[in-house]
């Protein structure tokens, strides 16, 4: 089933309103974010002399001005240690420790040599591709019925999608678009059969760029395809940059970081019950996707606590070709709740347990799946 949607040009800045949240009265506001739970690149502050060979000063300046936990750092002491460093290796240790301390261990300085390697076509291919139903699951966990035709439960696994390379902007955007297309194509294929509920597997999703992920599963995130709905936000103090769904588009404020060029897809059975699988490997953007489902009606999470990096990084290019992943905000759910730490599942299943079976059991007891359950029971008799 399809419906027309209004067109928003990717990258259009739109109106960037800053809102102060008091519940979901906030509905429409805001502006920009991309990588290990990412945000589009930020305009740099006043930089050191570009002829200076030492980019470390630039990093310390950015951290002191913008890092989420900058108040935890004794900046005069850091500057003093940095000035007294004996050589580059010692200075690098100080910078890396400061990044860790001011970003809650989520930020990272990606050296220029690593960026160059990641920009190669081979690295782009390895960056991540959506997985088929059940792919990447732990051996101890249940896999879906090999014959997907008769399974009443739809299944989609969302892997990480790393995106800190620096090819030209068009190539980078098309790679994001390809990931989102493939993910939604798999969802459409699953939906060709009669599914009464869905499992979204995030257990192997350690992060990357969240926008292609959200776009790919937007038909599942939606509870009302006809109306705009908030699914989460980046939060810094009292300021919230909202993520929302509108006519199939995933928006950050009024801008679509990634927008498919196909009509909005609506599930055969809209707003189905959804079970989300999470675990210790679910981190950063994987946690952001889990948060986008948290608070959705008829939705439960199963598994173990996540990695604890539910904060947002902004890719900040540096003058030597390296990139600083600068953590500046906390990811929150559609009720604007979140603390930047580990996400606890609604139903805890230990490392030796079977989260997928627990999720399936819950789904089969939901109203929409009762008929399918009765059919299965009658076939056993």
């Amino acid at each position: 089933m399809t419906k027309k949607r209004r067109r928003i040009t990717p990258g259009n800045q739109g109106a960037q309103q800053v809102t102060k949240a008091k519940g979901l009265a906030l509905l429409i506001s805001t502006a920009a974010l991309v990588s290990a739970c990412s945000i589009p690149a930020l305009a740099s502050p006043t930089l050191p002399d570009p002829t200076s060979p030492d980019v470390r000063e630039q990093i310390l300046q950015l951290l002191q001005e913008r890092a989420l936990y900058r108040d935890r750092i004794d900046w005069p002491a850091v500057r003093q240690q940095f000035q007294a460093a004996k050589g580059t290796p010692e200075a690098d240790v100080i910078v890396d420790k400061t990044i860790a301390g001011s970003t809650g261990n989520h930020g990272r300085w990606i050296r220029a040599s690593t960026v160059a390697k990641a920009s190669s076509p081979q690295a782009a291919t390895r960056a991540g591709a959506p997985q088929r139903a059940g792919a990447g699951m732990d051996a101890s966990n249940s896999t879906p019925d090999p014959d997907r035709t008769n399974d009443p439960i739809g299944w989609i696994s969302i892997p990480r999608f790393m995106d800190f390379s620096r090819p030209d902007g068009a190539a980078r955007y098309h790679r994001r678009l390809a990931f989102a297309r493939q993910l939604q194509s798999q969802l459409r294929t699953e939906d060709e059969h009669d599914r009464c509920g869905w499992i979204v597997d995030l257990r192997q999703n350690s992060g990357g760029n969240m926008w292609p992920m959200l776009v790919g599963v937007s038909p599942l995130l939606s509870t009302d395809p006809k109306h705009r709905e908030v699914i989460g936000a980046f939060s810094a103090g009292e300021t919230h940059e909202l993520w929302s769904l509108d006519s199939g588009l995933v928006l950050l404020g009024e801008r679509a970081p990634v927008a498919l060029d196909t009509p909005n897809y609506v599930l055969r059975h809209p707003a189905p019950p959804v079970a989300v699988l999470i675990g210790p490997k679910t981190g950063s953007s994987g946690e952001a996707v889990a948060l986008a489902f948290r608070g959705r009606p008829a939705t439960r999470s199963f598994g173990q606590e996540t990695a604890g990096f539910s904060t947002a990084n902004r890719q900040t290019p540096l003058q030597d070709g390296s990139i600083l992943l600068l953590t500046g905000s906390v990811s929150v759910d559609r009720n604007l709740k979140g603390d930047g730490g580990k996400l606890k599942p609604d139903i805890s299943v230990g490392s030796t347990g079977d989260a997928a079976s627990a999720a399936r059991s819950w789904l089969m007891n939901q109203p929409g799946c009762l008929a399918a359950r009765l059919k299965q029971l009658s076939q056993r008799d």
Side-chain angles (χ1 to χ4, degrees), residues 72-247:
R72 298 178 181 179
I73 303 299
D74 183 345
W75 291 104
V78 167
R79 295 285 184 180
Q80 186 175 12
Q81 293 170 14
F82 180 72
Q83 294 299 328
K86 298 177 180 178
T88 299
E90 188 175 336
D92 283 355
V93 170
I94 294 168
V95 170
D96 286 334
K97 284 184 177 179
T98 306
I99 292 171
S102 62
T103 67
N105 290 307
H106 194 187
R108 182 182 169 197
W109 177 19
I110 304 171
R111 270 57 168 188
S113 58
T114 302
V115 172
K117 291 177 183 177
S119 299
S120 68
Q122 295 86 350
T125 301
R126 293 192 302 267
Q131 301 170 353
R132 294 293 175 186
M137 297 176 60
D138 293 338
S140 60
N141 289 325
S142 295
T143 55
D145 183 348
D147 181 4
R148 306 293 302 140
T149 303
N150 298 318
D151 193 341
I153 303 301
W155 189 297
I156 193 80
S157 296
I158 308 176
R160 69 178 187 169
F161 176 69
M162 302 314 293
D163 192 38
F164 60 76
S165 59
R166 294 216 293 201
D168 69 88
R172 186 168 59 245
Y173 181 78
H174 285 301
R175 213 172 78 216
R176 296 170 187 167
L177 196 59
F179 183 98
R181 280 180 183 144
Q182 188 177 347
L183 189 60
Q184 193 161 118
S185 174
Q186 290 180 17
L187 189 147
R188 288 178 183 232
T189 299
E190 283 284 287
D191 198 38
E192 289 175 357
H193 307 287
D194 199 19
R195 312 296 188 193
C196 64
W198 290 77
I199 290 175
V200 176
D201 192 349
L202 296 170
R203 289 173 296 178
Q204 302 298 318
N205 190 327
S206 58
N209 190 320
M210 62 186 271
W211 300 110
M213 303 175 195
L214 292 178
V215 170
V217 294
S218 58
L220 282 175
L221 285 165
S222 174
T223 61
D224 185 355
K226 296 181 180 179
H227 296 93
R228 183 164 178 160
E229 60 184 304
V230 170
I231 58 171
F234 294 118
S235 176
E238 294 296 312
T239 301
H240 300 271
E241 297 179 308
L242 298 183
W243 325 331
S244 58
L245 295 175
D246 191 7
S247 300

Side-chain angles (χ1 to χ4, degrees), residues 18-39:
V18 177
T19 63
K20 300 207 176 177
K22 292 190 176 168
L24 286 178
L26 291 171
L27 215 40
I28 302 174
S29 70
T30 138
L33 303 189
V34 193
S35 179
C37 183
S38 252
I39 310 179

